[in-house]
Amino acid sequence: MRSLEEIRAILVGDSAIHEEILSRAFAVRSGANGGVYLRGLIEISSYCRRQCAYCGLRAANSSARRYRLSHEEIIAAARRVKACNIGTVVLQAGEDAALSRDFIAGVVADVGALGLVVTLSLGERPYDDLACWKDAGASRYLLRFETSNNALFKNVHPHVPGLGFDRADVLAWLKELGYEVGSGFMIGLPGQTWADLAADIIKCGTAGYDMIGIGPYVAHPATPLYGVSGAGADQVPATADMTRLVLALLATEYPDVNLPSTTALATVGGGGARAYLAGLSAGANVVMPDFTPDGVRAGYDIYPGKASFISAEALVEDLNKTLATAGRPVVPGAGHSRHYLLRTGRPQQRI
Ligand code: SAH
């Protein structure tokens, strides 16, 4: 395990050290470890009660297009995921109170009945909701810590007045409840310094996450952070290159953890299978094509440019071809995190 100072030194180091880390990450995902798992992402609601300073879905953005999928629409999208031979569905949304405990439990049960692993990413929810959804069959939950700098976090992710818990509580509950837990952070959030970024990387190890999602911050014009330049000379750039370097550090430090090549990285890289390959060749091993129905997809506008992609089916076809040629074949199945299987005492289980 590298220390915070070592990681910081690599981050600000020269291109020779960066190339070395990238080639080590490439090696981590070679041969039998080179498989890529696909997840079918369904963005089920763009309503949100929060005021995150980076996100286009923030409640105060009156120009945001709000939608909420019905139970039937979610199941129809999940059937499309299944038809693409993908084993996992990710249901993501803003923090939308209308996604009641019972509604989500019903959706989880019906998506699970299709033979799909269910991952939820619905923001900060009470313990009893998380427990109920686990009982209903949800296996995984994604909730990024966004930044390990507490002052910056409070600034960009204001607390909901009266809410008796916070993100750290929810992340602890998820583990306690037996979820496979994904967290992560943004690269280049205004105010994020090199030391902050090194601390973000260290935190992923100390917290013991099973999956780590990272992506470049993309400025949204309808948010207060738009145009804010950040920490001056010490500001981390929100670039594809920096994201690739951080993916490579994560893959070499935590080789058992699942790492998506995220939509945000593909967005700054122009989209399509090639843009995802930029992350996969730097240590990522998961891609999450977006199966949100065409009619509403543009409404899930967390950052600009995201919605302009080709259909999920076309992307999956492109990924199947392009990744096989690149020696990183798409592999079917649940695609559990080895980190999760090890920590829950099931090292022999098929990933
Ligand atoms: N409401 C859920 C899902 C949020 S969207 C939750 O809070 O967990 C998923 C992720 O997108 C966020 O966790 C955040 O890291 C990322 N994101 C949001 N706005 C972004 C932006 N402007 N640029 C890059 N990533 C962003």
Side-chain angles (χ1 to χ4, degrees):
M1 286 286 284
R2 294 184 176 92
S3 68
L4 190 140
E5 202 31 64
E6 284 168 325
I7 289 179
R8 188 186 176 283
I10 292 170
L11 291 169
V12 299
D14 59 19
S15 59
I17 179 82
H18 292 176
E19 286 309 319
E20 187 191 326
I21 300 291
L22 284 161
S23 73
R24 282 196 210 168
F26 192 84
V28 166
R29 305 294 187 199
S30 64
N33 292 324
V36 174
Y37 299 104
L38 303 186
R39 323 293 194 199
L41 177 65
I42 309 173
E43 294 149 338
I44 65 175
S45 168
S46 68
Y47 285 90
C48 192
R49 64 174 168 174
R50 300 204 85 107
Q51 301 293 1
C52 300
Y54 45 83
C55 182
L57 299 188
R58 66 200 309 272
N61 180 11
S62 54
S63 60
R65 275 165 291 179
R66 309 288 177 179
Y67 70 88
R68 184 179 300 117
L69 298 185
S70 67
H71 184 107
E72 292 69 29
E73 287 168 322
I74 299 170
I75 301 306
R79 286 188 195 283
R80 288 172 49 216
V81 174
K82 174 107 179 152
C84 285
N85 205 21
I86 295 176
T88 299
V89 159
V90 178
L91 304 177
Q92 192 176 80
E95 279 185 25
D96 178 5
L99 299 176
S100 69
R101 183 187 301 171
D102 289 349
F103 175 81
I104 294 296
V107 166
V108 167
D110 285 354
V111 174
L114 297 174
L116 294 160
V117 174
V118 182
T119 305
L120 298 175
S121 181
L122 306 175
E124 296 166 38
R125 301 283 304 220
Y127 182 93
D128 290 346
D129 288 8
L130 303 170
C132 167
W133 301 336
K134 188 78 178 49
D135 285 344
S139 308
R140 307 176 187 156
Y141 204 100
L142 309 179
L143 187 72
R144 294 184 180 180
F145 59 82
E146 314 294 5
T147 168
S148 59
N149 175 330
N150 286 332
L152 180 58
F153 181 76
K154 285 203 182 93
N155 234 335
V156 298
H157 185 88
H159 195 66
V160 173
L163 193 69
F165 54 89
D166 62 15
R167 238 166 218 239
D169 294 323
V170 180
L171 282 163
W173 293 338
L174 291 168
K175 220 163 192 184
E176 185 186 321
L177 287 163
Y179 279 94
E180 193 170 328
V181 182
S183 193
F185 51 91
M186 280 175 276
I187 310 275
L189 201 54
Q192 182 192 43
T193 67
W194 296 109
D196 291 337
L197 179 54
D200 293 339
I201 294 169
I202 297 275
K203 182 183 167 93
C204 289
T206 48
Y209 300 124
D210 304 305
M211 313 175 269
I212 305 168
I214 62 160
Y217 160 72
V218 185
H220 190 300
T223 62
L225 273 192
Y226 192 73
V228 172
S229 54
D234 219 16
Q235 171 67 41
V236 171
T239 59
D241 281 349
M242 191 45 56
T243 307
R244 291 185 77 240
L245 177 63
V246 175
L247 277 172
L249 277 163
L250 292 168
T252 51
E253 290 289 304
Y254 317 120
D256 295 327
V257 160
N258 278 343
L259 287 177
S261 182
T262 53
T263 310
L265 174 60
T267 299
V268 300
R274 292 260 147 224
Y276 287 97
L277 202 51
L280 297 170
S281 64
N285 68 335
V286 169
V287 178
M288 297 163 61
D290 187 350
F291 286 79
T292 308
D294 282 346
V296 296
R297 196 166 159 188
Y300 202 78
D301 182 32
I302 54 182
Y303 49 79
K306 184 185 152 284
S308 59
F309 290 133
I310 51 176
S311 79
E313 281 81 358
L315 176 61
V316 170
E317 201 185 317
D318 192 6
L319 287 166
N320 277 320
K321 279 192 206 135
T322 308
L323 302 189
T325 317
R328 298 293 306 279
V330 170
V331 288
H336 287 295
S337 152
R338 192 183 295 119
H339 184 273
Y340 176 73
L341 296 178
L342 290 170
R343 81 175 167 84
T344 53
R346 284 172 287 171
Q348 307 306 334
Q349 188 178 323
R350 199 170 161 274
I351 287 176

